[in-house]
Amino acid sequence: MDPLFYIKTFGCQMNVHDSDTISQILINKGYKKTDSINDAHIILINTCAVRQKAEQKALTLIGRLASLKSKKPDIISGIIGCVAQEQGTSLLKRFPFIDLVLGPRNIYHIDDLLDQIKEGRGKASSLDLTCEPPTLPTCNGYVKGRVATFLKIMEGCDNFCTYCIVPFVRGRETSLPAEDIINKSKYLISQGIKEITLIGQNVNSYNTKNNALPTFPGLLKELDSIAGLKRLRFITSHPKDLSDELIGSFGELKSLCSHIHLPVQSGSDNILKLMNRKYTRDKYISLIERIKKTRPDITITSDLIVGFPGETEKDFEDSLQLIDKIEFDNLFSFKYSERPKTSALELPGKLDEKEKQRRLSILQEKQKKITLSKNKLMEGTIQEILVEGPGKKGDSQLTGRTSGNKVVNFFANKNLKGQLVRVKIIKGFQNSLLGELVDKYNQKVYEVM
Ligand code: 5AD
Ligand code: SF4
């Protein structure tokens, strides 16, 4: 029987992509993936360190592996990802039943390290922050059944926002070669993928550090010209590096979707400075105005932190006012969480948990109303939807997303998965839209032939 591996992923799209990469490497080596932790011969936990809560969740699951390992001592268990990098081999002492510790930049070594463990050569770790990311693996049939996927174009980060652990756990910014990204995109399309989301900590600065070509807008242009790619997206952009050329891409490229995720982090200039974000509130507002001018229908989403050290009531009010002014379609908001190695640890004016929670609740309440009213504004509009498959409710309901990345459920009597269809929005909810299929004359389609 082929050895079975189980992988649990915490954290962001980067980690989802890393888990996918690991899975493809292991499948190519003859392992099989299982969704059941109890059946697995190899258990891997891909961890996130961005906030203390995320880290704690992963550590709790790791703690639970002790009893599994005592029943089945032959299991190989590994901690991967950002917590593995941050805590290093100390994890092997803290959790003696763990065999492997692997940093996010070192995932490509997984098969050699598993061989080493299986051959009885003890525990293994790989935590080198300077490795260059190798060519992304291909694995025939791996994306079968998927319409959309992530594709990593850069690793690491050089920005050192004072709250952020990423530069310490993913190392310095490195761009993957454009040729590899283009080849991988063509391969994914040949495997049935219709939508690619390019991912990186700061995609806007793709190739700028090494003065190579293409830069990010050029890369988008090359990908846009690949036959069969219906939709192209990217995350995450840093406002300080959002060039006019990139904004212009939203008006020019046919596959580039009508959505930008542009983390603002705070609406107060004082706090932005303490965060080392290198832009002001006004600069951010003017960027949004320029993007909207180029693509008036664009969906704008953002990230925001409340309770950063030194955040006064006035600074918090500035954040509230900013979200009133911009009216983000969606906002991911977080309480500031102290992270090891980050320079914000040294800042005075720490807020207590209760105050951070109070601010977060006020902000989230406000944003909830804005999101709902934006979704309601879409009622009556016709949207192009890329169908991803059956909806959660079954009963011939299909689900997909608008170009602006909003989830739409609608009824159709045929499987339209992977197709772009026209849908009239009939109801806007908090987290999704309900629609009905229409033809090119905007008439409701009752039956799809
Ligand atoms: N505390 C709270 N939120 C954080 N983020 C990153 N680091 C922290 C931290 N220490 C948030 C930022 C970032 C998102 C991925 O997570 O908003 O954009
Ligand atoms: Fe992703 Fe950052 Fe979490 Fe690492 S720490 S998984 S890069 S969000």
Side-chain angles (χ1 to χ4, degrees):
M1 193 178 82
D2 292 333
L4 298 174
F5 70 94
Y6 167 89
I7 185 161
K8 168 80 185 170
T9 310
F10 292 91
C12 65
Q13 297 88 350
M14 273 287 176
N15 264 20
V16 173
H17 189 279
D18 286 348
S19 289
D20 263 356
T21 300
I22 291 168
S23 301
Q24 292 176 67
I25 294 171
L26 294 184
I27 291 168
N28 286 341
K29 260 229 130 173
Y31 294 88
K32 259 200 171 141
K33 200 168 179 173
T34 173
D35 290 333
S36 157
I37 195 166
N38 293 317
D39 295 341
H41 305 108
I42 297 170
I43 298 172
L44 303 169
I45 315 289
N46 196 0
T47 57
C48 171
V50 78
R51 282 172 295 277
Q52 212 188 345
K53 216 162 126 191
E55 178 166 330
Q56 203 44 54
K57 263 195 204 161
L59 292 173
T60 306
L61 177 63
I62 292 162
R64 281 208 224 117
L65 294 183
S67 69
L68 211 61
K69 185 96 173 188
S70 68
K71 279 183 231 140
K72 291 166 132 188
D74 290 340
I75 288 174
I76 297 178
S77 53
I79 308 180
I80 309 173
C82 297
V83 178
Q85 186 69 44
E86 179 216 328
Q87 302 201 5
T89 48
S90 71
L91 288 167
L92 296 174
K93 288 197 198 90
R94 177 167 171 196
F95 302 111
F97 47 89
I98 293 292
D99 304 287
L100 170 71
V101 174
L102 192 62
R105 257 187 127 108
N106 296 259
I107 55 173
Y108 302 91
H109 304 147
I110 189 148
D111 50 347
D112 292 341
L113 295 173
L114 287 178
D115 285 348
Q116 183 182 321
I117 296 165
K118 281 195 291 189
E119 284 160 19
R121 285 186 281 136
K123 298 183 182 241
S125 65
S126 186
L127 299 160
D128 176 9
L129 270 183
T130 62
C131 327
E132 290 290 315
T135 308
L136 297 165
T138 55
C139 176
N140 279 343
Y142 187 77
V143 294
K144 193 165 170 247
R146 290 193 202 175
V147 171
T149 193
F150 298 126
L151 178 55
K152 191 191 280 194
I153 65 164
M154 342 180 40
E155 182 58 272
C157 182
D158 284 354
N159 289 320
F160 292 93
C161 301
T162 55
Y163 51 81
C164 186
I165 197 170
V166 171
F168 305 99
V169 289
R170 286 190 176 266
R172 293 293 68 74
E173 189 177 293
T174 313
S175 299
L176 276 76
E179 198 188 341
D180 291 355
I181 296 165
I182 292 162
N183 288 341
K184 183 76 196 253
S185 300
K186 287 181 181 162
Y187 172 78
L188 289 168
I189 294 162
S190 77
Q191 297 276 303
I193 290 293
K194 314 282 182 208
E195 175 182 303
I196 293 177
T197 302
L198 306 176
I199 58 169
Q201 244 70 45
N202 181 15
V203 290
N204 308 164
S205 62
Y206 177 78
N207 261 349
T208 46
K209 181 172 165 183
N210 47 340
N211 270 324
L213 287 173
T215 55
F216 191 55
L219 179 69
L220 290 176
K221 206 169 180 173
E222 290 195 39
L223 294 171
D224 181 60
S225 67
I226 300 177
L229 181 63
K230 292 189 173 164
R231 283 183 167 181
L232 185 58
R233 302 181 184 277
F234 59 83
I235 39 174
T236 291
S237 299
H238 193 305
K240 81 175 167 57
D241 297 313
L242 192 71
S243 66
D244 287 344
E245 195 186 357
L246 181 55
I247 294 176
S249 306
F250 281 107
E252 286 163 18
L253 305 182
K254 60 179 185 329
S255 64
L256 188 59
C257 288
S258 197
H259 171 219
I260 187 161
H261 183 66
L262 195 63
V264 64
Q265 310 299 3
S266 171
S268 150
D269 282 345
N270 298 334
I271 299 298
L272 288 172
K273 199 153 191 203
L274 288 172
M275 288 176 162
N276 191 30
R277 291 291 288 176
K278 302 197 176 90
Y279 55 84
T280 59
R281 170 196 175 94
D282 283 351
K283 164 93 196 291
Y284 185 88
I285 293 170
S286 94
L287 278 174
I288 297 290
E289 281 166 359
R290 274 151 55 207
I291 298 167
K292 279 190 174 161
K293 218 166 154 190
T294 310
R295 190 96 175 232
D297 69 337
I298 200 156
T299 294
I300 297 172
T301 58
S302 195
D303 293 344
L304 197 143
I305 297 174
V306 298
F308 189 76
E311 186 187 75
T312 61
E313 193 61 40
K314 163 80 174 65
D315 296 321
F316 174 58
E317 285 292 327
D318 286 349
S319 289
L320 290 177
Q321 273 174 14
L322 185 80
I323 69 169
D324 262 339
K325 178 167 177 60
I326 305 231
E327 298 192 308
F328 295 109
D329 289 85
N330 208 353
L331 181 68
F332 302 91
S333 48
F334 313 98
K335 286 182 278 183
Y336 167 70
S337 167
E338 286 193 334
R339 298 287 63 212
K341 300 195 176 85
T342 58
S343 60
L345 282 176
E346 315 296 327
L347 289 173
K350 302 264 155 42
L351 279 84
D352 66 33
E353 211 36 45
K354 210 169 142 208
E355 180 57 17
K356 285 194 266 186
Q357 184 57 53
R358 185 187 74 84
R359 293 185 186 185
L360 187 68
S361 303
I362 294 172
L363 188 121
Q364 288 185 336
E365 236 359 87
K366 183 182 269 303
Q367 181 58 43
K368 242 172 115 176
K369 289 186 191 133
I370 297 171
T371 299
L372 181 61
S373 77
K374 288 229 135 188
N375 288 349
K376 289 214 164 295
L377 269 180
M378 292 183 71
E379 291 173 3
T381 64
I382 308 288
Q383 300 290 323
E384 191 175 62
I385 308 298
L386 178 61
V387 184
E388 291 178 6
K392 282 194 194 119
K393 290 210 173 134
D395 286 347
S396 71
Q397 204 186 52
L398 296 179
T399 192
R401 276 171 300 142
T402 63
S403 175
N405 213 27
K406 298 200 181 196
V407 173
V408 180
N409 297 304
F410 63 98
F411 291 97
N413 62 342
K414 195 181 167 195
N415 184 5
L416 301 168
K417 188 169 172 174
Q419 292 187 36
L420 284 170
V421 298
R422 290 164 64 77
V423 169
K424 182 173 178 183
I425 305 303
I426 49 176
K427 193 115 186 88
F429 301 111
Q430 190 68 52
N431 299 313
S432 67
L433 308 166
L434 183 70
E436 58 192 24
L437 204 59
V438 294
D439 61 19
K440 61 182 175 187
Y441 308 106
N442 298 339
Q443 297 303 309
K444 184 172 175 177
V445 176
Y446 289 93
E447 242 176 73
V448 188
M449 297 301 167

